[in-house]
Amino acid sequence: MNGEPHIDLNDNSVLEAANVVVLGADHKVLDDVGRLAVNVELGGKAMLFQRGKVIQGQWVRAAGDVIRFVKDGKEVPFYPGTTYFNIVPNSPAFDTHISITNP
């Protein structure tokens, strides 16, 4: 984060993940405190980061099911291990929340 490794405060290890999904969802501010309602039912744009690669696709969620990442209408399997889901607002545009740089 911000050019530095994200460290687990419990054991000082660098956080790692086999899969990282960034998905766009509609956000609505509920009150003057800033509490949000995030729509995790509608689906939308998403990016999946695995083994140094990025796949652009969509996220979908059927009633009573988990969120799934799909590309060209087919579900993309996750690698075994830790998976992080990061939800960003659709407004401003999904693409404005992500910056991919090569080391």
Side-chain angles (χ1 to χ4, degrees), residues 54-93:
V54 61
I55 302 168
Q56 296 196 30
Q58 302 285 315
W59 69 276
V60 296
R61 184 174 186 196
D65 198 7
V66 297
I67 292 172
R68 300 187 184 275
F69 181 85
V70 297
K71 180 167 178 66
D72 300 327
K74 294 184 181 179
E75 185 174 356
V76 177
F78 292 156
Y79 287 105
T82 301
T83 298
Y84 289 110
F85 285 86
N86 299 288
I87 303 173
V88 299
N90 281 329
S91 179

Side-chain angles (χ1 to χ4, degrees), residues 32-65:
D32 59 355
V33 178
R35 287 180 274 238
L36 296 173
V38 180
N39 186 331
V40 292
E41 305 295 330
L42 188 60
K45 278 186 150 184
M47 298 173 88
L48 171 60
F49 297 83
Q50 297 177 314
R51 297 186 174 178
K53 298 189 184 206
V54 61
I55 302 168
Q56 296 196 30
Q58 302 285 315
W59 69 276
V60 296
R61 184 174 186 196
D65 198 7

